Amino acid sequence: MTEDLSDQAAILVMFKTYLAEKNNWLDFASFMHHALFDPQYGYYMRDTYKFGSRGDFITAPEVSDLFGRTIARQCAQILQMSGGSILELGGGSGVLGSDILLELDRMDCSLDEYLLFEPSAALTERQKERIGRLTPNIKSKVRWVSEFPKNFNGIILANEVFDALPVHLLSLNADGWQERGVALDNESLTWQDRPIQDERLHHVIDGLDVNTPYVTEVCLAADSLINELSQSLNSGAILAFDYGYEHCNYYHPDRRDGTLSCHYQHKVDSDPLERPGHKDITAHVDFSRLAHAAHDVGLEVAGYVGQADFLVNCGITDLLASFDPDQLDTYLPVASAAQKLLSPTTMGEMFKVISFTRGINEPLFGFSHRDRLHML
Ligand SMILES: C[S@@+](CC[C@H](N)C(=O)[O-])C[C@H]1O[C@@H](n2cnc3c(N)ncnc32)[C@H](O)[C@@H]1O
């Protein structure tokens, strides 16, 4: 407990330093970036458990290897067309990479390399430990990279990465639209609104028809990431999995408090100023924004579906059928995991899958049924 208090005091000193450099006002995207990625105190930079029952939240690959095994089937189709490698962004504990590699090996699918790009040194170590358990012929394909490769052929994967990108906050109150940032007041972090300076933020509010009070987010960092990925991708596909909405649902008049949320020990709260550095901070993804950013840099927007539809299109039910329902010890856990990945009340509908391609001529089978591109 004492350690926790001294840690929180140190984090406040850290923010005081950042705020002093910015005249006592940090836009929320900068605050979120420091809270998640400060080299010493950032949530993702600390060597603590984040995923699974011992951590703060659970992601689809941590639910079951059915997720990675099913994605591997989509990867196999793309690799047949593009050849090359897989580049995974933000690989977390390394479980998704491990499951995909094992399944591609079972399928005898040719893969040059499996590259992992991970900004957190602590998570890179977790990934190395996990990948290290694979057989020598599989793990020899894996390499960690600190920048995106040039002329990349193959697949770029991102599961729950876009929701971790820093967002700007916009607030509509009696004074009109303002940008919401963080200031220091009486030794505490507090919200402070300021006039909006950035044209790109003005551009978002110009199209909104909502009532006072209203708070929402804009992820400018997503545009930059899509641009960087596009510069890297010569031929192949980007597949992003995340929770979020299309523009009209993201900025729905009823969504008055936005989508920002914090995760700590499987509890969700909406106050990122309380104990920053100790909890994950995320915002839902505006998939229309991703699609426009991709289109603007010359990528084809190849498909957009709910996670359940994607997994069913890729054959998750065939994988499930390979388990003997009479063997309850093995069948029940896998059926329960499938239910979690697919059910509309858990991950099946809140999570979406979007794909951007270059030089791929065939439709991707993950998007063969119930594609919702028209909603973006
Ligand atoms: C919520 S975790 C998801 C981890 C893993 N993909 C999973 O599904 O279990 C977010 C991951 O994205 C990484 N991340 C955050 N910002 C990133 C960025 N700009 N580029 C690549 N990875 C990033 C984090 O370090 C972390 O590994």
Side-chain angles (χ1 to χ4, degrees):
M1 190 60 171
T2 321
E3 197 184 326
D4 196 33
L5 285 178
S6 70
D7 196 46
Q8 285 179 55
I11 289 172
L12 187 61
V13 171
M14 168 190 95
F15 276 113
K16 276 185 184 171
T17 311
Y18 286 131
L19 282 159
E21 288 163 7
K22 296 284 177 182
N23 215 5
N24 195 30
W25 191 81
L26 282 176
D27 62 68
F28 186 75
S30 302
F31 173 86
M32 182 167 164
H33 174 75
H34 297 316
L36 296 182
F37 288 105
D38 174 81
Q40 195 174 358
Y41 296 110
Y43 173 79
Y44 278 111
M45 305 308 258
R46 291 164 181 259
D47 192 14
T48 52
Y49 280 102
K50 292 163 177 61
F51 312 101
S53 53
R54 281 202 283 175
D56 299 318
F57 51 84
I58 187 141
T59 60
E62 304 281 341
V63 169
S64 161
D65 68 352
L66 279 180
F67 185 72
R69 293 182 65 193
T70 310
I71 292 175
R73 292 167 167 229
Q74 176 61 92
C75 292
Q77 185 206 12
I78 299 166
L79 287 168
Q80 268 183 357
M81 293 184 268
S82 66
S85 302
I86 296 177
L87 165 65
E88 186 188 352
L89 311 186
S93 70
V95 64
L96 179 61
S98 175
D99 292 341
I100 290 176
L101 281 160
L102 285 167
E103 189 68 9
L104 289 178
D105 188 59
R106 269 182 220 118
M107 294 166 77
D108 217 7
C109 174
S110 159
L111 175 73
D112 292 348
E113 287 188 297
Y114 196 100
L115 307 176
L116 284 143
F117 175 89
E118 173 54 67
S120 157
L123 286 176
T124 301
E125 284 312 307
R126 293 273 154 105
Q127 292 162 16
K128 287 189 170 161
E129 192 273 315
R130 181 86 192 202
I131 298 288
R133 293 185 221 158
L134 299 172
T135 57
N137 66 318
I138 300 182
K139 68 184 174 195
S140 63
K141 291 185 188 293
V142 183
R143 191 157 64 85
W144 280 262
V145 292
S146 55
E147 53 190 48
F148 300 151
K150 294 194 172 58
N151 285 321
F152 180 79
N153 294 321
I155 301 146
I156 301 177
L157 288 177
N159 188 63
E160 287 206 42
V161 173
F162 281 91
D163 69 85
L165 298 180
V167 290
H168 286 77
L169 290 186
L170 295 172
S171 153
L172 176 64
N173 54 38
D175 299 326
W177 280 104
Q178 297 202 294
E179 179 169 2
R180 176 153 293 183
V182 179
L184 190 71
D185 181 28
N186 222 354
E187 293 298 298
S188 298
L189 296 170
T190 182
W191 295 115
Q192 197 176 93
D193 293 352
R194 293 234 171 139
I196 298 170
Q197 307 282 351
D198 192 320
E199 261 318 299
R200 296 167 298 174
L201 300 179
H202 272 295
H203 187 70
V204 174
I205 54 174
D206 285 349
L208 298 188
D209 184 13
V210 296
N211 294 321
T212 313
Y214 194 88
V215 178
T216 192
E217 309 90 29
V218 179
C219 189
L220 301 176
D223 305 357
S224 313
L225 182 54
I226 295 278
N227 185 22
E228 283 177 59
L229 296 178
S230 168
Q231 286 181 29
S232 169
L233 186 68
N234 177 56
S235 163
I238 299 169
L239 285 172
F241 304 74
D242 231 309
Y243 39 84
Y245 310 104
E246 311 79 41
H247 184 89
C248 62
N249 285 318
Y250 200 97
Y251 298 105
H252 194 280
D254 291 343
R255 204 178 303 289
R256 313 180 79 110
D257 300 317
T259 69
L260 197 68
S261 62
C262 308
H263 299 259
Y264 178 67
Q265 294 186 349
H266 297 275
K267 293 191 193 75
V268 182
D269 75 82
S270 57
D271 186 1
L273 306 191
E274 192 255 342
R275 301 182 80 237
H278 287 271
K279 52 192 186 183
D280 192 18
I281 307 175
T282 79
H284 282 44
V285 174
D286 172 2
F287 283 100
S288 302
R289 186 171 193 100
L290 296 196
H292 283 116
H295 179 261
D296 287 351
V297 292
L299 291 165
E300 188 177 333
V301 185
Y304 172 62
V305 288
Q307 175 172 292
D309 293 326
F310 179 86
L311 295 174
V312 170
N313 289 339
C314 291
I316 193 171
T317 47
D318 297 339
L319 284 178
L320 192 56
S322 67
F323 290 83
D324 180 353
D326 291 330
Q327 301 294 320
L328 293 185
D329 285 359
T330 46
Y331 188 75
L332 287 182
V334 86
S336 152
Q339 153 88 6
K340 188 156 192 177
L341 294 171
L342 298 174
S343 165
T345 57
T346 47
M347 292 180 158
E349 184 53 34
M350 178 59 81
F351 284 74
K352 315 284 192 313
V353 190
I354 197 164
S355 178
F356 310 119
T357 56
R358 177 165 286 141
I360 295 288
N361 299 322
E362 276 175 41
L364 303 187
F365 48 57
F367 304 90
S368 53
H369 294 287
R370 293 166 59 92
D371 194 358
R372 313 176 189 177
L373 269 182
H374 62 280
M375 291 177 71
L376 290 174

